Amino acid sequence: MAGAARPEPVGHEGGVPLAYYAAPGRPLERCATREEIVRRLRSGRGQLWVDIDSRSDAEWSLLEDPFGFHPLAIEDTRSPESRVKVEEYQDYLFIVARSVRFAMWTPAPYDIALFNTYLFLGRNYLVTVRGEESPAVVAVVARLEGAPELMSRGVDHVAYMLLDALVDSYFPLLDEIDTFVDELETAIFREPGADTMERIFALKRSLLSLRRHLAPMREVTATLANRPSTYLTPDTQVYFRDVHDHVVRQVESVETFRDMVSAAMEAYLTTVSNRTNEVIKALSVIATVVLPPTLVASIYGMNFGWMPGLHHPLGFWLALASMVAISGAFLLYLWWKGWL
Amino acid sequence: MAGAARPEPVGHEGGVPLAYYAAPGRPLERCATREEIVRRLRSGRGQLWVDIDSRSDAEWSLLEDPFGFHPLAIEDTRSPESRVKVEEYQDYLFIVARSVRFAMWTPAPYDIALFNTYLFLGRNYLVTVRGEESPAVVAVVARLEGAPELMSRGVDHVAYMLLDALVDSYFPLLDEIDTFVDELETAIFREPGADTMERIFALKRSLLSLRRHLAPMREVTATLANRPSTYLTPDTQVYFRDVHDHVVRQVESVETFRDMVSAAMEAYLTTVSNRTNEVIKALSVIATVVLPPTLVASIYGMNFGWMPGLHHPLGFWLALASMVAISGAFLLYLWWKGWL
Amino acid sequence: MAGAARPEPVGHEGGVPLAYYAAPGRPLERCATREEIVRRLRSGRGQLWVDIDSRSDAEWSLLEDPFGFHPLAIEDTRSPESRVKVEEYQDYLFIVARSVRFAMWTPAPYDIALFNTYLFLGRNYLVTVRGEESPAVVAVVARLEGAPELMSRGVDHVAYMLLDALVDSYFPLLDEIDTFVDELETAIFREPGADTMERIFALKRSLLSLRRHLAPMREVTATLANRPSTYLTPDTQVYFRDVHDHVVRQVESVETFRDMVSAAMEAYLTTVSNRTNEVIKALSVIATVVLPPTLVASIYGMNFGWMPGLHHPLGFWLALASMVAISGAFLLYLWWKGWL
Amino acid sequence: MAGAARPEPVGHEGGVPLAYYAAPGRPLERCATREEIVRRLRSGRGQLWVDIDSRSDAEWSLLEDPFGFHPLAIEDTRSPESRVKVEEYQDYLFIVARSVRFAMWTPAPYDIALFNTYLFLGRNYLVTVRGEESPAVVAVVARLEGAPELMSRGVDHVAYMLLDALVDSYFPLLDEIDTFVDELETAIFREPGADTMERIFALKRSLLSLRRHLAPMREVTATLANRPSTYLTPDTQVYFRDVHDHVVRQVESVETFRDMVSAAMEAYLTTVSNRTNEVIKALSVIATVVLPPTLVASIYGMNFGWMPGLHHPLGFWLALASMVAISGAFLLYLWWKGWL
Amino acid sequence: MAGAARPEPVGHEGGVPLAYYAAPGRPLERCATREEIVRRLRSGRGQLWVDIDSRSDAEWSLLEDPFGFHPLAIEDTRSPESRVKVEEYQDYLFIVARSVRFAMWTPAPYDIALFNTYLFLGRNYLVTVRGEESPAVVAVVARLEGAPELMSRGVDHVAYMLLDALVDSYFPLLDEIDTFVDELETAIFREPGADTMERIFALKRSLLSLRRHLAPMREVTATLANRPSTYLTPDTQVYFRDVHDHVVRQVESVETFRDMVSAAMEAYLTTVSNRTNEVIKALSVIATVVLPPTLVASIYGMNFGWMPGLHHPLGFWLALASMVAISGAFLLYLWWKGWL
């Protein structure tokens, strides 16, 4: 029914959010109307997952009624800058997760676009809120449609599947960066272009931004994996450990990339200095070899009536020989100093 | 009654601070005299908020009597350098909060002016002290006048509204800095002015100063949000979590900006080195191409009676050809070295 | 039966993993068939070690049946990127350890190849999983064949012997790096080659990668050595302290190497700048000594009918003397400035 | 009786340390003889403060008898390098505090001279030991003489007054450094002297030294303010919180100064590179504009009988025009490259 | 009997380690044979100190029998790379301490040679093991022979005396480094030799190595001073606090030295850049002043029949005046730019 490439929204017609309900011993069913969602929620039995697109005011209003979440949490779901976190309210956990938008690095190679997904996890319901199409939600829907029995593990397992998909969105980006960092070495030591420094700097910026977004994700997954909670069964927490492992590996990658980019910056500066040194050495060699003979030639270009050897038949050759001798002496000296 | 743009002080005539009182089941009323404030305070019922301008000695003296706060705390309210902190005294919490003054970055772009607000939070009263006009106080007064029922949530909720407004004063400054950091990249790689380094350095100074002031704010809000306290209801602490989120995001922004400015400094140094390298390369090319032919010309300018080819009809052209040949050989060599 | 240099797999024919079993008071015996392994495991007595090569699907399937490990843990054993960790499941510890592959730094000197070994440690069994030939397993098999009584100390002691061998694989690499860092000093200050910076950078990359892999190993061994566990006897934990000591020393070495490589990078940059300074000084000396006399000579090369001393008998010598005087004056000045 | 400017020691004649005693309900009295001190101490009542100058062996011997402090603590009072700390012994607290000597930055601007003060705080006595004149002791004596009732708050309050005075000795130094850091910006970007780098380096050294001495002071004051102790009343601990605030602010200042000096060092390096770039650009412009015409002139200075235009009436002007054209072309090129 | 300067081993003939025994109320006696040591140990009374030279297999074998220490601990005593640590075994503490070998910095000034001392501290015995002559052991023997009653304080006090002597071995080295760091400033800003950078780098290496060895010593002494232990009386722990103080001061010194050396490296780089800037400025001044007049002279050296002023009587002087004017104009310009 839903595939990763499908662009149009899943469900969500007429202010009715996508909603799945699983009662014990009954097949997974899809709730088609708001009334059905409210009824299922109020029954207090079974497992209910509601996915709300916050761009639709009709859907968004469900957060206040019938769910009645805290005003501050509801406010957070509309602010794209909400901090990544887990907060415990009286009847539910509130989770803000951040992920990378699909196909985001096409125009500006290392510019990162991020978006938030919000989860309200109660005892028998999960409400997810997002402000744009979410490939992660599409993927979870596809898995649920294919294996409806997953829902009976509880809504916390659905939350796990969603966070797992969100976190995995970082891997392609990190692989991209890994490739670029590998290219950097060639760029620096073999064929530095005019924009090498600019690209290093742009990469550093992206890594700083990435770290800033990933670091709190690590705390969120650590909390979900380790802290005992009414809303998470120990079985599901084992799965969250897996998500936490992924985030930890991502954070470590970013840290290592940062250190490598810093080292690359330093190496580039040193390489430039090295090249300047070479150029200036070449300039010095030219000057040392050419200027002294020019002085000798200028001397013999003076208009004095008499200069030593001026009228000697071999005068020209002797002057030339002295020029060669002087240049040769300087060349020897430079060779001895190790500049050649 | 009071708007964000209003410049004259709110109330505060004749040594009477601005004071609001809300008894249970009664409308919000404003206390007009010192006596009324004292009476309301001594009644031990209801919620009292007193806002003191510490520039007025008459108002300031209220801190000693009737409130009887600790001498050290009172001393702190007059020192512009008091450390940002939360301290628990026997009957009240003492909070020192720091915020950014409105319209402060006009003259020197990144010079930060800060000022303190002091809060004494007792069981049924809140005393706020400040040394200048405070847009945050004005904003809270406006909200209270508009929605008097907010006062009945308790004075700790008023403290929340005030701290929220104080903390939000940092956001415009951070946006300003964000814009500038974006401009930096162009400045460094495209059109560096003579003062680029100076501006980077000034920005770094401001960020260091900002971090120094924000970091303790984070501890203050964490304490208010998380540590159980007699003076804060759990309901209000949920709101303080929101303030804490804002401060944490601000601190993270400042840290990221600092890392980016450091990277920019390094990138700028490398760019300058790169440019020096280019200039010196150009100089070397000129010297290499011009000096050797000059030597040849000088040789033929010597006044020897005989020099090879001097009297040959094509002598001049042969000499010129040798000059071109020498320069060409050097140019070929430079091209082969990759300097052209 | 097995030696450190032996290249072919130990046992592992026909989907039967290598397995050893020791019952109390009975000699160590090798299980030849899957059925025997299952029987020994189900008996619940004695100590069973099963070594699985995950490239063989037949062997790998044992993890699911009869062992019945958690799906996530089984998945980890086939992902080369699993995070290094210790996880406690209901009936066993799951350990992911990372080590360095033997003879790995031959082609690219400081490129590090790593591989994982997975351990499932239950009360009376140890299952080890790996995706390639493991010198550590070969070494432990050799020790067990030589001293069968080691098995009776419990499977946790076998786990210790294995981790000890895995951790020791880092030492030759660190020694190699140590030697190179010693050579660096000479390379930087005595005879810097064109690729010195490139080698420093490559080393820095390797150290960053090494640190990233070793740091979690330290946490793993700390957990095994210090945290009380149902699967580890206090006697064995004393031995794990020894493994932990090794990892801590390795991590410290890597940190020190990193600091030294950073210092070397900085020192190299300064050395290059120093050399540029010397070259430019030499160029300046040449220019200062040669250019002014050239000007004098050019002046006397002008074609005016009268120039001072032009027709004087000693004119040439006077001109020459003035050139020498000017150069001498400049040389004296340079000597006084300390440039000679 | 004693003023801040008074240079001669307060009391301390004939091996009798300065000592004050306050019995409950009795005026503050000064103990004139060793015997009186011993008697007051042995009485076990009232509050006794003894100030010992460790340069006097007679006074110093009191530490052993009658006080009987631990040999290691006594040893510490004579070692100028004792570590700043609080140590709890069986009957007293032993505090080592470090402060800045008055008027210390006159000769070498940022060279810091420090000295230790030692406090033994028992239940009803305070012994202070120091190796030179202490303005802090002088100030506390002045306050006690002026307000004898302060003594009746307990000797722990006297300890507070002393530590407060010691800690405040850092503020003038930090203000001095603040002024200098402000001057740095001008120094770096406007009018760098030959010694700018030297002064930055000297400042960095002083800040490193300052941090090393202040950091343990922060731990000392934190301990005194927060850890419950038999020797400190809760009332006094509120006052120690104030001292702790001061030290925390000082440590933060030092950290900020260090970051700013590091940024200044980097900025200075970049500025120097920038200036080198400008100079080398100017050199290149000169060389580019002057050398090619010189080549042309040299060519026409050759002694060939025939050269193109040599005998033309406008030959000279044509040659000059070609020189101007060549220089002009190069200037255009440089202008196009943005070097002018 | 034993002095600090005595080079030959103390005792240790024929495989008998140095051993001292003190029974309650009896004088200190020296055990002359292995049998006596074993008898004293087995008596379970009194205090026994045995000092073993691990180069002697006969002495070393005592660790296994009669002491029966853990094989891993015994193994550690022969590995020069054992990690510095305190480990608690069932009947004793095992301490690995590292110190600096006497007279070690003579040949290569900042090359540090370290060696380990191992202590087994039981309830009534202390066994010390070392692989070379130990000035610390010699010093402790001298103190014990001089004041035998020290032994009756318990073997933990002997352990204190030994660790105190070991730790103090770092102080002369740190003083040496302190002197060198002071010299650095002069070296960098006044008279930099060709090897200044090399010496800074060597010092940095030594400091890195020193830190790596001292940091775990700090943990060891903190454990001994603060953690309650069966093998240490509270009285002795007060003394270990003193040792801990020394190590903390040493670690702080090393950290400060590292920061200062880093600052020195940076300052040196900037100084070199500054000097390059000066040299290049001088070169530019020479070129600017000399090259343009040379062009003028070359022009008048052309062989055209007519050039302006060529036949004028004052032609030469006019040409010379134009040269001086051009040079003067450039000089004025340079002076205005602030380069002179």
Side-chain angles (χ1 to χ4, degrees), chain D residues 110-263:
Chain D
Y110 305 102
D111 237 17
I112 299 172
L114 301 126
F115 77 107
N116 288 346
T117 306
Y118 309 89
L119 295 89
F120 295 87
L121 179 62
R123 261 188 208 80
N124 64 337
Y125 61 84
L126 169 71
V127 178
T128 55
V129 187
R130 66 221 153 62
E132 42 185 282
E133 291 319 305
S134 164
V137 168
V138 171
V140 172
V141 164
R143 278 190 73 189
L144 277 188
E145 301 266 346
E149 71 281 4
L150 283 171
M151 190 83 175
S152 62
R153 294 199 189 172
V155 281
D156 52 348
H157 200 82
V158 178
Y160 148 72
M161 288 192 292
L162 198 67
L163 278 174
D164 195 41
L166 289 174
V167 162
D168 284 355
S169 74
Y170 288 98
F171 279 118
L173 180 66
L174 291 173
D175 288 347
E176 191 88 348
I177 289 172
D178 198 11
T179 311
F180 180 69
V181 169
D182 279 346
E183 290 167 9
L184 256 188
E185 202 174 343
T186 319
I188 289 173
F189 295 112
R190 301 263 177 277
E191 27 174 293
D195 61 344
T196 303
M197 190 63 220
E198 208 167 340
R199 285 166 69 200
I200 299 178
F201 183 72
L203 182 60
K204 186 147 201 179
R205 270 185 84 164
S206 298
L207 287 171
L208 283 171
S209 157
L210 207 50
R211 180 187 58 152
R212 186 176 158 199
H213 297 299
L214 265 175
M217 278 300 280
R218 183 174 48 177
E219 288 168 46
V220 164
T221 53
T223 305
L224 296 175
N226 302 323
R227 205 189 297 163
S229 165
T230 333
Y231 310 102
L232 298 166
T233 61
D235 277 3
T236 305
Q237 287 199 307
V238 169
Y239 284 90
F240 275 118
R241 285 208 303 225
D242 196 52
V243 180
H244 181 55
D245 276 7
H246 290 183
V247 178
V248 167
R249 254 172 54 211
Q250 290 168 349
V251 171
E252 282 172 357
S253 293
V254 169
E255 286 304 317
T256 305
F257 289 152
R258 279 187 66 216
D259 284 340
M260 266 152 90
V261 169
S262 289

Side-chain angles (χ1 to χ4, degrees), chain A residues 98-109:
Chain A
R98 190 159 292 168
S99 59
V100 170
R101 197 178 23 237
F102 194 70
M104 51 182 236
W105 55 87
T106 334

Side-chain angles (χ1 to χ4, degrees), chain E:
Chain E
M1 184 194 163
R6 188 183 162 192
E8 58 278 29
V10 186
H12 298 277
E13 294 93 14
V16 185
L18 184 73
Y20 284 92
Y21 177 75
R26 295 260 300 280
L28 181 72
E29 59 183 82
R30 171 122 180 237
C31 305
T33 62
R34 291 171 72 102
E35 291 68 34
E36 202 183 334
I37 293 172
V38 174
R39 192 159 42 84
R40 294 309 192 190
L41 175 69
R42 300 240 159 104
S43 73
R45 285 192 320 260
Q47 306 281 332
L48 177 69
W49 171 34
V50 182
D51 173 56
I52 287 175
D53 188 326
S54 65
R55 289 169 299 182
S56 149
D57 285 335
E59 296 187 19
W60 195 59
S61 66
L62 286 168
L63 297 176
E64 284 181 346
D65 178 44
F67 287 106
F69 294 130
H70 196 282
L72 285 174
I74 295 180
E75 203 187 300
D76 271 352
T77 64
R78 279 224 163 147
S79 149
E81 300 244 307
S82 319
R83 200 160 70 86
V84 169
K85 63 188 168 186
V86 187
E87 280 181 348
E88 187 145 8
Y89 285 89
Q90 212 162 346
D91 292 319
Y92 48 91
L93 277 185
F94 176 53
I95 303 164
V96 183
R98 190 158 294 165
S99 58
V100 171
R101 195 173 29 231
F102 194 71
M104 50 180 237
W105 55 85
T106 334
Y110 304 103
D111 237 18
I112 300 172
L114 301 127
F115 78 106
N116 288 346
T117 305
Y118 308 89
L119 295 90
F120 295 87
L121 179 61
R123 260 187 210 82
N124 65 337
Y125 62 84
L126 169 71
V127 178
T128 56
V129 187
R130 63 216 157 64
E132 43 184 282
E133 291 318 305
S134 164
V137 168
V138 172
V140 172
V141 165
R143 279 189 72 189
L144 277 188
E145 300 266 347
E149 71 282 3
L150 283 171
M151 188 82 175
S152 62
R153 294 199 189 172
V155 281
D156 53 346
H157 200 83
V158 178
Y160 149 71
M161 288 192 293
L162 198 67
L163 279 173
D164 195 40
L166 289 174
V167 162
D168 285 356
S169 74
Y170 288 97
F171 279 118
L173 179 66
L174 291 173
D175 287 349
E176 191 87 348
I177 290 172
D178 198 12
T179 311
F180 180 69
V181 170
D182 279 346
E183 290 167 9
L184 256 188
E185 202 174 344
T186 319
I188 289 173
F189 295 112
R190 301 264 178 277
E191 26 174 293
D195 62 343
T196 302
M197 191 62 220
E198 207 168 339
R199 285 167 70 201
I200 298 178
F201 182 72
L203 182 60
K204 186 147 201 179
R205 271 186 83 165
S206 298
L207 287 172
L208 282 171
S209 157
L210 206 50
R211 181 188 57 152
R212 186 176 158 199
H213 297 298
L214 266 175
M217 279 301 280
R218 182 174 48 177
E219 288 168 47
V220 164
T221 52
T223 304
L224 296 174
N226 302 323
R227 204 188 299 162
S229 164
T230 334
Y231 310 103
L232 298 166
T233 61
D235 277 5
T236 305
Q237 288 200 306
V238 169
Y239 283 91
F240 275 117
R241 287 208 302 226
D242 197 52
V243 180
H244 181 56
D245 276 7
H246 290 183
V247 178
V248 167
R249 254 173 54 210
Q250 290 169 349
V251 171
E252 281 172 357
S253 293
V254 169
E255 286 303 317
T256 306
F257 288 152
R258 280 187 66 214
D259 284 341
M260 266 153 89
V261 170
S262 288
M265 256 173 148
E266 257 185 278
Y268 188 60
L269 176 56
T270 309
T271 306
V272 168
S273 293
N274 239 342
R275 249 175 240 135
T276 301
N277 182 270
E278 263 180 56
V279 172
I280 234 169
K281 228 190 267 178
L283 177 57
S284 298
V285 169
I286 293 285
T288 308
V289 170
V290 172
L291 288 186
T294 305
L295 173 58
V296 172
S298 297
I299 287 172
Y300 276 95
M302 293 193 293
N303 289 326
F304 289 103
W306 180 87
M307 292 189 287
L310 189 63
H311 303 296
H312 193 281
L314 291 174
F316 172 76
W317 297 113
L318 290 170
L320 219 61
S322 72
M323 292 180 201
V324 170
I326 291 172
S327 287
F330 274 110
L331 278 172
L332 260 175
Y333 177 75
L334 294 177
W335 174 80
W336 176 73
K337 291 273 275 188
W339 291 6
L340 292 181

